[in-house]
Amino acid sequence: MTAKILIVTGDAAESLEVLYPYQRLREEGYEVHIAAPTRKQLQFVVHDFEPGFDTYTEKPGYTWPADLAFSEVDPGDYVAVVIPGGRAPEYLRNDPELRKILKSFFDTDRPVAQICHGPLLTAAVDALRGRRVTAYPALELDMQAAGATFQDAEAVVDGTLVSARAWPDHSGWMREFLTVLRAKAPVT
């Protein structure tokens, strides 16, 4: 049976942070499912930087269907989870079903990849305390408040947790995550 990986996301997730790991992990031979609050067509966004702006801009991105609702997910069916960024984590962290899913991955020490604003979700399940992480740089104080040591780096590995700042760090993030996956949950 092919090893399965779960991507948890919702509307306003960063397009590249969902679709790059989705394609890269499938290319590696994993079966990948996308879960969201409900089964529906999700609307992703594109964040970019414009000259003169103090922060990023947001434009409509790709749409993509969710394979499962969070309430349909059996975390035991998956060897790892990916948590993309964008604005989705801001509201998803309030979803009790998603918090149960994420907590199960940390309780069983399965690989977790998070990027950009994704660590807002792992902070919501108190999974960052005592760990080293990176995130979108504006979240440094949030990561410290969650008990983590923030590192401004392309990718940070702390055991089975692999984090990255944003989509420009994809290659380093996925390279490190695949190293963890090959050791903990190789494709069969």
Side-chain angles (χ1 to χ4, degrees), residues 44-58:
F44 300 143
V45 297
V46 174
H47 291 120
D48 209 349
F49 297 91
E50 303 288 339
F53 275 63
D54 290 329
T55 188
Y56 53 84
T57 62
E58 183 174 284

Side-chain angles (χ1 to χ4, degrees), residues 75 95-105 107 110 125:
D95 188 301
E97 291 294 326
L98 178 55
R99 289 195 308 267
K100 283 190 254 179
I101 292 166
L102 293 177
K103 187 168 176 359
S104 76
F105 280 92
D107 288 350
R110 285 176 282 164
V125 298

Side-chain angles (χ1 to χ4, degrees), residues 5-184:
I5 296 177
L6 184 66
I7 296 177
V8 293
T9 195
D11 288 324
E14 166 60 51
S15 291
L16 290 173
E17 294 172 3
V18 176
L19 296 176
Y20 179 79
Y22 179 82
Q23 297 292 352
R24 182 63 189 94
L25 294 166
R26 286 174 43 113
E27 178 183 53
E28 194 70 20
Y30 292 93
E31 184 178 335
V32 182
H33 297 160
I34 295 177
T38 61
R39 280 188 194 224
K40 69 173 208 162
Q41 192 77 2
L42 298 167
Q43 176 64 61
F44 300 143
V45 297
V46 174
H47 291 120
D48 209 349
F49 297 91
E50 303 288 339
F53 275 63
D54 290 329
T55 188
Y56 53 84
T57 62
E58 183 174 284
K59 299 168 184 74
Y62 294 105
T63 60
W64 200 266
D67 300 305
L68 301 161
F70 295 146
S71 63
E72 299 173 301
V73 171
D74 178 352
D77 290 344
Y78 297 91
V79 299
V81 65
V82 175
I83 308 167
R87 281 188 302 112
E90 294 172 14
Y91 68 90
L92 292 177
R93 63 185 163 178
N94 296 310
D95 188 301
E97 291 294 326
L98 178 55
R99 289 195 308 267
K100 283 190 254 179
I101 292 166
L102 293 177
K103 187 168 176 359
S104 76
F105 280 92
F106 284 98
D107 288 350
T108 55
D109 197 34
R110 285 176 282 164
V112 175
Q114 60 184 12
I115 189 167
C116 194
H117 284 71
L120 291 173
L121 293 174
T122 51
V125 298
D126 197 30
L128 300 182
R129 190 166 312 283
R131 300 190 91 143
R132 292 176 297 106
V133 300
T134 194
Y136 187 70
L139 296 184
E140 180 176 359
L141 295 177
D142 299 276
M143 297 300 95
Q144 291 170 350
T149 300
F150 180 84
Q151 296 179 330
D152 188 8
E154 178 182 63
V156 173
V157 180
D158 187 314
T160 56
L161 176 64
V162 181
S163 54
R165 295 173 297 203
W167 60 262
D169 296 334
H170 274 162
S171 57
W173 180 52
M174 276 294 111
R175 183 172 39 254
E176 295 296 341
F177 189 54
L178 285 167
T179 298
V180 170
L181 279 174
R182 289 176 184 131
K184 293 280 285 181

